[in-house]
């Protein structure tokens, strides 16, 4: 039984609908030709702040008490959650601190700072950043809004699932990013409550896939974080994971791991064929279709989750360059 119900997700939708953009879901002629079935792309990279994270962060901030608002909010982020939380907090008049590791790309750090948040760069992993969050919660009384393992955040992300089914009523397969599990837990809970036979497939990078390793181990485990084109999918799931590990285990039908080259192909396809600028973590559904990992028996939807890509890296990718961020980092 999932810890976040369809009623929680519907309540979240009512709570956040005036604060977020209902993003379009567009058919892809080129991907339909590859898949042999209708393929729809959910343009969540057109969301305010450039990613789906606006939904969960807004749902969490909107539920803060007056006392909690006075104490301020804090979160660890690989970029997109931080920007969304900073945006939602600024709009609500709440002080916000975002902790990130040194692996978070500069463009994402700058975007969060532009939203008015206080930035802390700590260590070289999401776990290092989380330690600083825990310290400030304990010592200064700030209110933590986690990037994924939080019922309010999961319910907010789940509103995407409600929209997908409205836009594609005969949906058979949903391709959803798999990282800490907040997005896929919420989307899967929404989809399967409405249509239990929908297949939900988690897509992630092969380089440091924490949830995939945890599922294989039967419990949350740590993995080494490594530079990847899908940087928004990096980070651990937390050894004390309370929600997303069990929800992913119970609700997700399959997991696909992608190489860096396959992710790069997705970025190129999104640009040249769909005319969309999408970050590496945002194109993994496209990448899985391009490389034949998904052989659907009905309509497919893939979420384009974010647009926060370093435009210099994007230019190199769409120009055909083989970009390996691991080699460039060391």
């Amino acid at each position: 039984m999932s810890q976040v119900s369809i009623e929680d997700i519907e309540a979240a939708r009512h709570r956040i609908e005036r604060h977020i953009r209902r993003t379009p879901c567009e058919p892809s002629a080129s991907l339909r030709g590859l898949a042999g079935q209708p393929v729809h792309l959910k343009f969540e990279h057109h969301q305010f702040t450039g990613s789906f994270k606006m939904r969960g962060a807004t749902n969490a901030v909107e539920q803060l008490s007056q006392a909690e608002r006075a104490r301020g909010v804090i979160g660890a982020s690989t970029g997109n959650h931080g920007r969304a939380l900073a945006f939602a907090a600024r709009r609500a008049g709440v002080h916000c601190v975002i902790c990130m590791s040194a692996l978070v790309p500069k463009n994402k750090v700058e975007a969060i700072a532009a939203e008015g948040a206080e930035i802390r760069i700590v260590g070289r992993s999401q776990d290092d950043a989380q330690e600083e969050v825990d310290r400030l919660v304990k010592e200064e009384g700030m209110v933590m809004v986690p990037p994924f393992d939080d019922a309010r955040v999961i319910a907010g992300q789940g509103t995407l699932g409600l929209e997908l089914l409205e836009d594609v009523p005969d949906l058979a397969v949903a391709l959803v990013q798999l990282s800490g599990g907040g997005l896929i837990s919420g989307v899967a809970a929404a989809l399967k409550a409405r249509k239990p036979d929908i297949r939900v497939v988690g897509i992630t990078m092969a380089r440091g896939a924490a949830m995939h390793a945890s599922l294989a181990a039967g419990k949350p485990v740590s993995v080494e974080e490594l530079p990847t084109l899908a940087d928004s999918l990096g980070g651990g799931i937390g050894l004390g994971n309370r929600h997303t590990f069990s929800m992913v285990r119970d609700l997700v039908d399959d997991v696909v791991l992608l190489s860096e080259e396959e992710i790069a192909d997705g970025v190129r396809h999104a640009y040249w064929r769909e005319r969309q600028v999408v970050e590496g973590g945002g194109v993994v559904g496209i990448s899985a279709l391009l490389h034949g990992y998904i052989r659907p028996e009905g309509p497919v939807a893939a979420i384009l989750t974010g647009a926060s890509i370093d435009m210099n890296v994007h230019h190199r990718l769409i120009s055909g360059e083989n970009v390996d961020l691991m080699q460039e980092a060391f």
Side-chain angles (χ1 to χ4, degrees):
M1 179 67 69
S2 72
Q3 298 94 332
V4 175
S5 69
I6 187 65
E7 289 78 18
D8 295 329
I9 296 168
E10 289 169 340
R13 184 178 194 177
H14 178 72
R15 191 177 294 119
I16 70 176
E17 59 187 352
R18 71 183 187 278
H19 299 302
I20 68 159
R21 177 174 288 151
R22 194 196 189 290
T23 52
C25 192
E26 301 288 345
S28 168
S30 61
L31 291 172
R32 177 177 184 139
L34 279 172
Q37 295 285 349
V39 176
H40 299 264
L41 300 176
K42 178 69 166 164
F43 281 14
E44 193 64 11
H45 62 305
H46 290 178
Q47 187 58 259
F48 299 129
T49 74
S51 89
F52 74 95
K53 293 284 192 175
M54 267 301 298
R55 297 171 183 263
T58 301
N59 192 45
V61 169
E62 287 297 303
Q63 293 182 76
L64 294 174
S65 67
Q66 285 303 117
E68 288 172 328
R69 287 172 182 245
R71 286 152 52 194
V73 295
I74 186 169
S77 176
T78 54
N80 289 333
H81 172 67
R83 187 176 178 188
L85 182 58
F87 183 96
R90 178 170 56 82
R91 186 173 52 198
V94 175
H95 177 58
C96 178
V97 176
I98 301 299
C99 301
M100 291 173 282
S101 85
L103 291 182
V104 176
K106 181 181 178 183
N107 67 297
K108 292 191 175 184
V109 176
E110 292 173 345
I112 294 169
E115 297 294 351
E118 179 184 339
I119 305 295
R120 303 279 182 97
I121 304 297
V122 186
R124 289 189 60 82
S125 75
Q126 181 88 330
D127 290 338
D128 291 338
Q130 184 61 46
E131 287 182 10
E132 178 71 359
V133 171
D134 294 340
R135 185 185 71 80
L136 289 170
V137 168
K138 181 179 180 180
E139 296 181 6
E140 300 185 16
M142 300 194 77
V143 179
M144 180 172 64
V145 178
F148 53 87
D149 194 32
D150 181 278
R152 301 163 301 176
V153 170
I154 294 167
Q157 320 304 28
T159 61
L160 261 169
L162 300 178
E163 292 179 18
L164 279 177
L165 265 186
E166 290 169 357
D167 293 335
V168 191
D170 55 348
L171 183 64
V173 182
L175 308 182
V176 187
Q177 283 73 0
L178 178 63
S179 179
L183 174 63
I184 200 168
S185 293
V187 170
L191 292 177
K192 298 212 169 192
R194 291 277 182 261
K195 197 175 177 186
D197 59 340
I198 287 180
R199 288 187 67 236
V200 177
V201 180
I203 319 287
T204 191
M205 69 286 175
R207 190 176 280 178
M211 183 64 81
H212 179 261
S214 297
L215 293 171
K219 63 180 181 179
V221 297
S222 297
V223 299
E224 182 183 5
E225 276 187 63
L226 298 168
T228 171
L229 291 171
D231 57 89
S232 61
L233 304 184
I237 70 167
L239 296 182
N241 188 287
R242 298 178 302 144
H243 301 287
T244 59
F245 173 75
S246 60
M247 291 183 73
V248 171
R249 179 194 62 207
D250 296 344
L251 296 172
V252 175
D253 298 288
D254 198 7
V255 175
V256 170
L257 301 181
L258 299 172
S259 69
E260 295 297 294
E261 293 81 4
E262 290 165 341
I263 295 167
D265 287 342
V267 173
R268 296 180 187 115
H269 182 95
Y271 184 77
W272 291 114
R273 301 301 299 272
E274 311 296 341
R275 298 177 182 263
Q276 302 295 318
V277 174
V278 189
E279 64 187 82
V283 300
V284 292
I286 289 177
S287 298
L289 288 165
L290 288 176
H291 288 276
Y293 290 107
I294 310 298
R295 303 194 179 280
E297 296 182 358
V300 182
I303 305 170
L304 305 184
T305 46
S308 301
I309 188 170
D310 182 313
M311 292 308 293
N312 291 317
V313 172
H314 187 268
H315 178 74
R316 293 165 62 193
L317 288 170
I318 64 170
S319 300
E321 184 178 337
N322 179 23
V323 178
D324 189 335
L325 297 180
M326 183 125 78
Q327 291 182 356
E328 297 178 14
F330 296 104

